[in-house]
Amino acid sequence: MFYETHITVEPHDVSRWQALSGKLKIKPLLIELSSGDYPLHLMCSAPFSGSEADFRAYLASLEEQIRQSGFSIIRVKPETLLDQAGFVKGPIAYYECHIKLLLPKNAVRHFLLFSQEHGLHPSRNLLYGDDGKVEKWYLTTRLYNGSIAEARRRFRKALAETKRIFPAE
């Protein structure tokens, strides 16, 4: 089984977070949201393959190492593939899809309008190398209280429309 966790931390000490992420072999992220009360999120992406029990043990160990390094954990968000959707249960469980794009800087304004028109949530990773020409963006869509079939339909539609407007080069 494949899992991924996003752990959001404070304080926003980016260089210390990047060093710890390298030591823990996790990917550091500084996510900027296009709207909301908390526009910047210092976080990580930590993939894991194995059993659910092993994943939960890995996650507990990772959280402890982060705390011992002087960071406060703001949020822990475990994720899994849509076909493994029985993993997270409860009132906060939902289906989510991230579409990753490398956008020319001159397409960002159009991208943000597209996102708004389609009810998608744009964000970007500020730690992605900036060559002055391309930015790494994400489009996120969520489905609360729906079925896997409905989530698949919604995600495929979002992906198809995104590819139509922003074809890969």
Side-chain angles (χ1 to χ4, degrees), residues 18-153:
Q18 287 177 306
L20 178 62
S21 295
K23 177 182 166 192
L24 298 177
K25 295 182 173 54
I26 56 179
K27 181 180 178 182
L29 304 165
L30 180 58
I31 299 297
E32 179 185 55
L33 303 176
S34 63
S35 63
D37 294 335
Y38 304 99
L40 284 177
H41 295 261
L42 187 60
M43 59 193 295
C44 71
S45 172
F48 182 87
S49 292
S51 72
E52 182 177 333
D54 289 345
F55 171 67
R56 291 190 185 278
Y58 165 74
L59 187 53
S61 172
L62 189 58
E63 289 178 50
E64 182 60 25
Q65 291 176 77
I66 290 169
R67 284 189 186 95
Q68 287 178 356
S69 296
F71 287 94
S72 296
I73 295 177
I74 305 305
R75 180 175 81 155
V76 177
K77 189 174 116 184
E79 299 179 347
T80 189
L81 301 174
L82 193 57
D83 293 340
Q84 300 168 194
F87 169 69
V88 180
K89 297 180 175 88
I92 59 168
Y94 54 87
Y95 300 109
E96 180 176 76
C97 175
H98 301 291
I99 302 169
K100 297 176 187 177
L101 298 100
L102 292 177
L103 289 175
K105 286 193 177 219
N106 63 3
V108 170
R109 185 171 174 272
H110 178 62
F111 169 77
L112 294 173
L113 290 171
F114 167 84
S115 302
Q116 187 176 25
E117 289 169 2
H118 290 83
L120 302 170
H121 306 282
S123 61
R124 67 181 174 150
N125 180 6
L126 296 178
L127 298 182
Y128 180 78
D130 184 359
D131 65 0
K133 299 176 186 172
V134 176
E135 294 180 357
K136 186 174 192 173
W137 283 85
Y138 305 91
L139 280 177
T140 300
T141 184
R142 292 182 189 95
L143 175 64
Y144 296 89
N145 303 317
S147 68
I148 288 178
E150 185 180 352
R152 279 193 178 107
R153 281 192 300 276

Side-chain angles (χ1 to χ4, degrees), residues 99-104 159-169:
I99 302 169
K100 297 176 187 177
L101 298 100
L102 292 177
L103 289 175
L159 182 58
E161 189 65 10
T162 302
K163 283 182 173 180
R164 186 179 71 77
I165 301 297
F166 302 98
E169 295 183 16

